[in-house]
């Protein structure tokens, strides 16, 4: 029996299999209003027809100044709810559960407006120098995450994920490479964690469903967070009743990364084992056998797939064939399945 195709429950939300569509920015809001377009509906619904268990929407900005680009998806306004809700209805129709990745780009925003970060350090020469966030800016941003969680609930998402990876705003607070603050949000790791800690608490006031957090488990630079730090953060999140840590890596500072099949899985496995929290593995997971090995050996509870799902929206079917599993088809497709 394949474990990849077994169901799993998070706070009463049952995913029909362990396959997650990883968040992928599509930069497709051409009107620059953050709203769902027909492209998004086609793009995500194709993967729901393809039987992906959990479809996670791309990094979705909680504030306009937190967008990576002007074409990012947004959830900073009540006007965003309608499109997201209609999309969810489609995805649920095909049996997928849905998630939204709440995001703020911080110093990695490429916008004309002022950009914000814990410290006034540019990511590289081609990025703007951000404004150091005041306590008031911090409070506003937390409020934005909280309000976004309320909108996610109104739009009928099943899962919320906080984007604390890839060098975006939350990650900038967590990492000693990007956080030079001398107040209660900087310095020791207890302080660097505070921003995420308070966002989790704020979001939980509005959102009682499953909560995932994506972190970068390796910063590929000297002076960065260590595995001991990541375990400290993971244990704190577990205490805060976060349901799963989605274990990615990189993006904090410019660095060259040697990527190979499953390159992020060992750290994901360590976090699962040492912190006793469910984890999601991501990064060059491309075959059914590889995904099955990760789940069967308890190295992760979910596999997140990105680029392979761009190539093959019906990847679950491809994997099922590889693993001799029978996957049900949407009724209309039964004759060809
Ligand atoms: C087009 C594209 C857009 C991405 N956008 C996001 C994003 O919005 N949020 C995020 O956390 N990761 C993002 N990622 C990273 C993926 O979620 C994933 O972690 C990475 O691609 C490695 O998985 P893969 O080898 O299966 O592609 C993106 C990746 C791609 C290829």
């Amino acid at each position: 029996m394949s474990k990849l195709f077994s169901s799993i429950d998070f706070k009463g939300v049952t995913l029909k299999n362990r396959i997650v569509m990883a968040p992928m920015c599509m930069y497709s809001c051409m009107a620059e209003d953050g709203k769902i377009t027909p492209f998004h509906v086609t793009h995500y619904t194709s993967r729901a027809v393809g039987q992906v268990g959990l479809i996670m929407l791309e990094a979705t900005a909680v504030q306009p100044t937190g967008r990576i680009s002007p074409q990012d998806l947004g959830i900073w306004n009540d006007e965003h709810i309608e499109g997201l809700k209609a999309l969810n209805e489609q995805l649920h129709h095909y049996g997928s559960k849905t998630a939204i990745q709440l995001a703020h780009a911080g110093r990695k925003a490429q916008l004309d407006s002022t950009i914000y970060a814990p410290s006034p350090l540019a990511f590289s020469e081609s990025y703007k120098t951000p404004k150091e966030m005041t306590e008031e800016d911090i409070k506003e941003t937390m409020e934005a995450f909280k309000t976004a969680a309320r909108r996610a609930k109104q739009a009928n998402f099943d899962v919320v994920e906080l984007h604390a990876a890839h060098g975006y705003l939350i990650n900038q607070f967590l990492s000693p490479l990007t956080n030079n603050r001398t107040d209660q949000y900087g310095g020791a790791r207890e302080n660097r964690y505070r921003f995420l800690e308070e966002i989790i608490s704020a979001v939980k006031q509005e959102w009682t469903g499953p909560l995932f957090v994506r972190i970068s488990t390796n910063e590929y630079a000297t002076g960065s967070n260590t595995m001991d730090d990541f375990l400290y953060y993971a244990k704190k999140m577990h205490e805060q009743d976060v349901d799963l840590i989605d274990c990615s890596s990189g993006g904090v500072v410019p660095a060259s990364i040697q990527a190979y099949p499953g390159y992020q899985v060992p750290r994901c496995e360590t976090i699962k084992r040492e912190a006793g929290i469910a984890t999601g593995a991501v990064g060059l997971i491309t075959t059914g056998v590889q995904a099955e090995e990760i789940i069967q050996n308890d190295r992760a509870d979910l596999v997140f797939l990105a680029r392979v799902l761009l190539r093959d929206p019906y990847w679950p079917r491809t994997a099922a064939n590889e693993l001799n599993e029978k996957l049900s088809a949407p009724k209309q497709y039964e004759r060809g399945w």
Side-chain angles (χ1 to χ4, degrees):
M1 265 295 282
S2 154
K3 204 168 166 191
L4 181 64
F5 289 97
S6 66
S7 63
I8 186 169
D9 185 275
F10 293 97
K11 291 204 172 93
V13 171
T14 305
L15 313 185
K16 64 184 171 185
N17 59 45
R18 309 301 183 93
I19 303 165
V20 184
M21 179 176 182
M24 279 181 281
C25 286
M26 291 287 112
Y27 307 116
S28 293
C29 304
M30 294 314 173
E32 305 187 1
D33 57 2
K35 288 186 181 167
I36 290 286
T37 67
F39 167 79
H40 295 104
V41 178
T42 307
H43 170 65
Y44 289 112
T45 308
S46 305
R47 277 76 194 174
V49 171
Q51 303 299 303
V52 170
L54 179 66
I55 297 195
M56 187 170 291
L57 264 60
E58 61 206 85
T60 304
V62 300
Q63 285 178 315
T65 49
R67 287 175 293 177
I68 302 166
S69 80
Q71 291 78 31
D72 285 19
L73 213 53
I75 190 163
W76 65 79
N77 192 308
D78 280 351
E79 283 181 14
H80 291 126
I81 298 169
E82 189 186 339
L84 293 167
K85 192 171 176 183
L87 172 61
N88 275 328
E89 201 175 316
Q90 281 296 309
L91 304 181
H92 286 145
H93 179 74
Y94 295 103
S96 295
K97 293 291 193 275
T98 66
I100 186 161
Q101 190 187 44
L102 302 182
H104 192 299
R107 71 173 186 161
K108 287 177 95 177
Q110 291 183 296
L111 304 168
D112 291 334
S113 59
T114 303
I115 63 167
Y116 297 86
S119 302
L121 304 165
F123 178 69
S124 74
E125 275 176 12
S126 39
Y127 284 76
K128 284 208 270 195
T129 300
K131 174 182 177 287
E132 180 174 76
M133 289 170 81
T134 60
E135 292 234 356
E136 192 164 332
D137 295 329
I138 289 175
K139 288 218 164 56
E140 254 175 48
T141 306
M142 276 172 198
E143 191 59 32
F145 272 97
K146 181 179 160 186
T147 321
R150 189 256 296 159
R151 294 187 185 113
K153 187 172 167 187
Q154 287 174 283
N156 289 336
F157 282 99
D158 302 294
V159 174
V160 163
E161 174 167 290
L162 301 176
H163 196 351
H166 303 166
Y168 294 112
L169 184 66
I170 300 175
N171 200 171
Q172 290 157 32
F173 274 90
L174 288 176
S175 176
L177 300 172
T178 45
N179 182 344
N180 282 347
R181 298 179 75 91
T182 52
D183 64 1
Q184 55 168 338
Y185 294 100
R189 66 187 181 187
E190 290 77 9
N191 284 354
R192 299 199 308 274
Y193 181 71
R194 195 179 312 279
F195 185 68
L196 175 55
E197 185 173 26
E198 291 181 1
I199 288 178
I200 293 171
S201 302
V203 161
K204 278 181 161 289
Q205 287 174 35
E206 297 287 351
W207 179 262
T208 53
L211 182 63
F212 295 1
V213 179
R214 175 170 271 202
I215 60 168
S216 280
T217 62
N218 192 344
E219 299 176 354
Y220 305 101
T222 46
S224 65
N225 276 308
T226 61
M227 195 30 131
D228 193 59
D229 295 324
F230 295 123
L231 289 175
Y232 169 81
Y233 302 139
K235 286 175 189 164
K236 293 290 278 185
M237 283 187 252
H238 193 27
E239 277 168 29
Q240 287 190 276
D241 198 28
V242 165
D243 295 278
L244 176 137
I245 300 184
D246 170 5
C247 299
S248 188
S249 76
V252 181
V253 288
S256 79
I257 300 172
Q258 201 207 339
Y260 48 86
Y263 67 108
Q264 295 171 150
V265 178
R267 282 169 181 258
C268 171
E269 184 177 3
T270 303
I271 289 173
K272 179 172 166 61
R273 198 178 50 236
E274 304 285 324
I277 189 167
T279 57
V282 66
L284 284 178
I285 300 166
T286 54
T287 70
V289 168
Q290 189 192 3
E292 180 71 16
E293 184 277 326
I294 293 167
I295 302 294
Q296 281 281 8
N297 281 321
D298 270 336
R299 307 177 76 191
D301 298 271
L302 300 175
V303 286
F304 285 60
L305 310 175
R307 288 163 292 181
V308 75
L309 268 174
L310 293 184
R311 294 193 287 278
D312 179 5
Y314 292 4
W315 186 89
R317 189 173 172 277
T318 306
N321 287 343
E322 205 185 316
L323 298 169
N324 288 322
E325 280 288 321
K326 194 161 161 34
L327 207 58
S328 59
K331 193 164 174 22
Q332 296 91 331
Y333 287 8
E334 276 169 1
R335 288 181 68 183
W337 210 252

